Amino acid sequence: MCGRFNITNLPGLQDLMNYLGIDSPLPEPRFNIAPTEDILLLRPGQGDMARWWLVPSWAKEVSSKYSMFNARAETLTKSPAFRGPFRHQRGVVPMSNFIEWRMEDGQKQPWVITNREQCIAVAALWDVWEGANPPLLSCTLVTTEAAEAFRPWHKRMPVLLTREECLRWLDNEQAIAVDDRMLAPALKFDLELYPVNRAVGNSTRKDPALFEPTGPPVKLRGPVAGPKA
């Protein structure tokens, strides 16, 4: 699952947007972003702020009754809320890092997860609810089973996209199957993880100092390229 993230390294985000051909203003650095807050959603040729908690176009009202901030990759074609967006309303949510918790010494310890560029692209789905004025743009993050190396931190993880996969995911003219390798539980690149202050468990705490490492980092290796021919 993915329930908290940060946007801090704007050069990395700018590089990603340049690669995707998106000319939109960069957001301000933000910490401890939580579901129902507005986040940057990248779509073909544009970036917009969207509510992080999907409101289906057919919903009678904006509600938090059901957990709609994450969407399980394995059931995207079965869920009434996600089936349509999976076919033709796919987007990308960039983040500098995200946070997961694991039990340590009887307490939940938050860990920051990032990559070398400090810019992670996560597969997302979006929808527009016409019951608001202006209409409400909202999104959800797609998750999959955790890669084996990531399981000590959580049994699930966000679908992390390479830059090339971002282009495929954003091409809503092309169908993607739920068993596509893009959605598989795999580490596609190296990750670095480090523990941070437990106070980040309170989503109202936005102090950047809370995200300074409180212990040594752990590195998870992505795929290793074979020797060149």
Side-chain angles (χ1 to χ4, degrees):
M1 90 179 268
C2 182
R4 219 68 74 70
F5 70 90
N6 301 317
I7 284 285
T8 60
N9 187 287
L10 299 183
L13 174 56
Q14 184 68 73
D15 289 344
L16 174 65
M17 294 174 66
N18 290 344
Y19 178 84
L20 298 177
I22 297 174
D23 183 14
S24 294
L26 293 174
E28 294 293 325
R30 293 169 61 200
F31 293 83
N32 223 2
I33 302 169
T36 73
E37 295 185 37
D38 286 345
I39 61 176
L40 179 62
L41 171 69
L42 304 182
R43 295 182 287 173
Q46 66 187 94
D48 299 288
M49 301 305 291
R51 181 181 190 262
W52 179 18
W53 192 298
L54 192 80
V55 180
S57 59
W58 42 262
K60 294 182 180 180
E61 60 183 355
V62 176
S63 172
S64 298
K65 181 179 180 181
Y66 302 104
S67 295
M68 304 286 280
F69 61 94
N70 284 167
R72 296 173 66 94
E74 303 92 324
T75 58
L76 291 179
T77 59
K78 300 177 181 178
S79 166
F82 304 141
R83 188 165 48 225
F86 179 49
R87 285 198 302 266
H88 50 76
Q89 291 170 184
R90 300 188 298 266
V92 169
V93 168
M95 51 186 71
S96 300
N97 51 64
F98 64 97
I99 300 96
E100 291 291 6
W101 283 258
R102 70 173 182 177
M103 293 300 297
E104 297 180 9
D105 300 324
Q107 300 185 67
K108 287 186 175 181
Q109 173 62 53
W111 286 71
V112 162
I113 298 99
T114 189
N115 61 356
R116 182 177 59 186
E117 295 78 16
Q118 295 187 49
C119 183
I120 293 173
V122 175
L125 307 175
W126 59 271
D127 209 343
V128 176
W129 186 63
E130 300 285 350
N133 186 20
L136 176 64
L137 174 65
S138 63
C139 65
T140 185
L141 304 182
V142 182
T143 68
T144 186
E145 291 184 4
E148 183 176 358
F150 193 78
R151 289 173 192 165
W153 283 267
H154 205 280
K155 63 182 179 180
R156 297 191 66 79
M157 62 188 294
V159 172
L160 309 180
L161 302 175
T162 66
R163 291 193 173 190
E164 294 77 11
E165 288 175 336
C166 285
L167 294 176
R168 276 193 64 210
W169 185 257
L170 288 174
D171 184 359
N172 286 286
E173 298 299 318
Q174 300 297 321
I176 293 175
V178 291
D179 60 353
D180 192 290
R181 291 182 62 184
M182 188 165 22
L183 301 173
L187 288 184
K188 302 167 185 175
F189 40 77
D190 294 352
L191 293 177
E192 181 173 305
L193 304 82
Y194 53 85
V196 292
N197 195 307
R198 288 191 173 99
V200 306
N202 182 347
S203 63
T204 65
R205 301 288 297 274
K206 309 293 187 182
D207 184 357
L210 295 178
F211 292 90
E212 294 296 325
T214 59
V218 174
K219 293 189 177 182
L220 305 182
R221 294 293 303 275
V224 179
K228 294 183 180 181

